[in-house]
Amino acid sequence: MDLKYGASREKPREDAAMQRFRSHRVGQFIHWGLYSLPAGRWEGKDVEFAAEFLPRVAKIPQQRWEALAKDFTLADFDAERWADTAVALGARYMTITTKHHDGFCLWPSAHTDFHMGNTPSGRDVLGELVAAYEARGIDVNFYYSVLDWRHPDWRFTLEDDADSLAFARYLDFAMKQLEELAERYPSVKGFWFDGTWDESVKANGWWTWEVERMLKERIPGVVVNSRLRADDFGARHVDSNGALMGDYESGYERRLPEPWDHGVAERDWEACMTIPQASWGYHQGPWAQATLKHPWDVVDMIAHCTSLGGNFLLNFGPRGDGSMAPAEVGIATKVGEWLSVNGEAIYGCGFAEGWDYPGWGYFTRSATGDVYAVVTRAPVSGRIRLQLPAGMALAGVRLLGSGEHPFKRLADSLFEMVIAGDASTGPLVFALETSALARPSSEKEPNPDVLD
Ligand code: FHN
């Protein structure tokens, strides 16, 4: 089918910027805005829903919501400390909400008055964050919500000409904001679009195509997620011919592909995940705080994504005063400690072609071909079986952070290891040295003990 606004390529991008993004594997997502102040509580009541949806769910009048801006004083905000959290996590990139659905902007935008520049500090926190993260070698990406609950020209659907005219003005406004972001922060490495699922956006696939084109022209190498895109017929992420739009698939939100779904590895993709069950912005209620993930669950997800060639973007919800939530910093630190020992099985690694999903964890493979066994679900038997691809044998095993590890052969390419995990240090990772199988057992001399 002939498409004007479909995918720009059939195969994954292989330029240096894309390879860099792909090799990162671990990213830090940040949701921070006015919703971080009430943090899921309004008029003394916890609203058990994602904190960033509070104005809609609690039906807060617009004026009252906007009045929160005067309390956004940044009393405890320090971009350097946030960037230190990313280092502690072992994140190689960070993606921050420049504007979420409520329309509030973290940079002093010339196209609206609803921005950080009009809060008491008047600071350009986005600029401070870009500088602090980049100083630590961490790439910065911008999240931008196309959906805008506040803008008078936003439309969910286009019912008549008046709607279409209004929405055309809205798209012009959003384009100008994106041009502004590209101009003010030219070192940004990627754009992460959200809020593009409404009929109004789907009817304007040309605009999503134009945004991608504009960003790529202004910022060479910039990486754009698939969620931005709709084609001529309103197909999203993947065009009407089945080709991925944008540079990587970004549909995995608070869920991961099945670990045996190896087809996923043919594309670049990223999954994003909350630390509590279901809030992206900081939620102070016990509902959210009781559901924080365990660091080893996070490690499991990182390994899961890596094993299928995807990146994992772990979300943080800093508090209204600008400080990071201590529980989230604690989780980040544990995950980062694990990565500092076991990162060679994650960074720059991906799908291990030919190795079946083992059940007790994941196989990953480095760019140079080294295969790792990441044991996130050690069996109570204390033994794991390693089924190697046919024709391959195990020649040596190294436990990361330790040393050589014993193993025994059960059959041709089937091996077994006894493992002793330790909850304090987390999932064990084994580097596997392989060789060609010398001679399959079917070709060996018969064993006299089993002859009758
Ligand atoms: O509604 C948003 C939500 O608040 C959050 O930003 C997530 C992050 O992926 N995206 C949307 C839901 O798809």
Side-chain angles (χ1 to χ4, degrees):
M1 182 187 303
D2 224 17
L3 293 174
K4 233 169 137 183
Y5 305 115
S8 45
R9 84 190 68 74
E10 280 172 12
K11 296 223 158 106
R13 262 174 65 177
E14 288 302 345
D15 56 281
M18 191 65 203
Q19 286 185 20
R20 181 177 165 93
F21 174 74
R22 182 182 296 142
S23 73
H24 287 332
R25 292 298 178 235
V26 185
Q28 180 188 42
F29 209 178
I30 294 185
H31 277 68
W32 195 51
L34 294 184
Y35 47 80
S36 313
L37 287 154
R41 188 169 295 164
W42 195 252
E43 295 179 334
K45 278 198 207 113
D46 280 339
V47 177
E48 296 195 352
F49 204 86
E52 68 280 8
F53 273 76
L54 188 70
R56 303 296 273 195
V57 181
K59 299 191 171 51
I60 299 171
Q62 185 62 26
Q63 265 190 332
R64 288 190 66 193
W65 189 253
E66 290 183 24
L68 288 171
K70 71 174 179 345
D71 300 328
F72 214 8
T73 59
L74 312 192
D76 204 8
F77 172 73
D78 179 357
E80 306 291 334
R81 287 212 314 266
W82 283 25
D84 286 341
T85 310
V87 172
L89 170 66
R92 297 280 166 96
Y93 68 107
M94 180 276 260
T95 305
I96 177 136
T97 49
T98 60
K99 176 183 89 142
H100 203 261
H101 308 336
D102 70 351
F104 182 77
C105 301
L106 285 192
W107 82 102
S109 175
H111 307 288
T112 176
D113 54 5
F114 197 39
H115 61 69
M116 207 72 204
N118 288 335
T119 60
S121 78
R123 281 158 67 181
D124 171 12
V125 296
L126 201 55
E128 293 178 32
L129 288 165
V130 170
Y133 277 74
E134 288 183 349
R136 288 159 179 79
I138 298 174
D139 289 350
V140 176
N141 294 348
F142 288 164
Y143 166 111
Y144 183 89
S145 172
V146 178
L147 164 65
D148 191 320
W149 293 326
R150 176 180 183 266
H151 199 287
D153 291 326
W154 168 262
R155 295 291 183 278
F156 292 94
T157 55
L158 306 176
E159 305 296 339
D160 51 27
D161 288 352
D163 281 345
S164 298
L165 275 174
F167 198 62
R169 285 194 299 273
Y170 177 77
L171 293 180
D172 188 47
F173 155 79
M175 181 68 85
K176 287 204 173 87
Q177 283 210 313
L178 292 163
E179 288 168 352
E180 185 181 41
L181 283 170
E183 194 181 317
R184 286 184 65 101
Y185 312 100
S187 60
V188 65
K189 299 293 184 297
F191 276 79
W192 203 108
F193 289 93
D194 203 1
T196 47
W197 46 79
D198 288 302
E199 292 305 318
S200 51
V201 181
K202 290 201 277 178
N204 283 282
W206 70 272
W207 181 86
T208 69
W209 183 91
E210 185 55 31
V211 167
E212 186 178 348
R213 191 205 59 75
M214 179 278 288
L215 291 174
K216 287 185 170 168
E217 184 184 286
R218 294 186 182 215
I219 308 175
V222 75
V223 173
V224 177
N225 68 336
S226 65
R227 200 180 292 201
L228 164 67
R229 298 284 276 104
D231 76 359
D232 314 40
F233 300 101
R236 297 185 58 236
H237 294 277
V238 171
D239 72 16
S240 303
N241 291 325
L244 181 72
M245 295 182 284
D247 299 314
Y248 62 97
E249 211 267 325
S250 60
Y252 291 103
E253 177 171 313
R254 293 203 299 116
R255 72 188 175 97
L256 305 184
E258 297 295 355
W260 50 84
D261 188 359
H262 292 172
V264 173
E266 285 165 21
R267 288 179 178 158
D268 287 299
W269 60 278
E270 177 198 66
C272 55
M273 188 61 67
T274 50
I275 293 182
Q277 179 65 28
S279 189
W280 299 87
Y282 176 65
H283 198 302
Q284 60 181 310
W287 166 77
Q289 295 305 313
T291 58
L292 301 179
K293 291 181 178 59
H294 191 281
W296 304 152
D297 294 334
V298 173
V299 163
D300 179 86
M301 293 179 197
I302 291 173
H304 184 154
C305 291
T306 303
S307 76
L308 291 173
N311 284 2
F312 183 74
L313 188 61
L314 182 67
N315 185 68
F316 290 72
R319 299 184 290 194
D321 62 2
S323 60
M324 284 272 174
E328 296 191 346
V329 176
I331 291 165
T333 306
K334 282 302 270 184
V335 172
E337 282 168 7
W338 183 89
L339 279 167
S340 68
V341 175
N342 300 294
E344 69 172 86
I346 302 294
Y347 303 120
C349 293
F351 177 54
E353 177 98 48
W355 295 66
D356 287 340
Y357 168 61
W360 39 249
Y362 312 93
F363 289 117
T364 68
R365 174 149 49 203
S366 74
T368 49
D370 297 318
V371 173
Y372 298 90
V374 186
V375 188
T376 54
R377 284 184 294 281
V380 285
S381 65
R383 281 156 206 275
I384 61 165
R385 290 197 169 171
L386 297 154
Q387 176 64 63
L388 276 62
M392 219 179 247
L394 206 51
V397 173
R398 174 172 55 94
L399 174 59
L400 301 198
S402 174
E404 267 187 45
H405 193 83
F407 60 93
K408 80 172 182 199
R409 182 170 171 183
L410 300 179
D412 290 347
S413 294
L414 182 65
F415 295 78
E416 187 176 75
M417 297 195 302
V418 174
I419 59 167
D422 176 348
S424 67
T425 47
L428 300 177
V429 181
F430 299 91
L432 309 179
E433 192 193 327
T434 58
S435 59
L437 190 59
R439 192 166 54 148
S441 56
S442 54
E443 291 172 18
K444 282 190 193 145
E445 300 303 320
N447 179 350
D449 294 337
V450 295
L451 292 177
D452 50 20

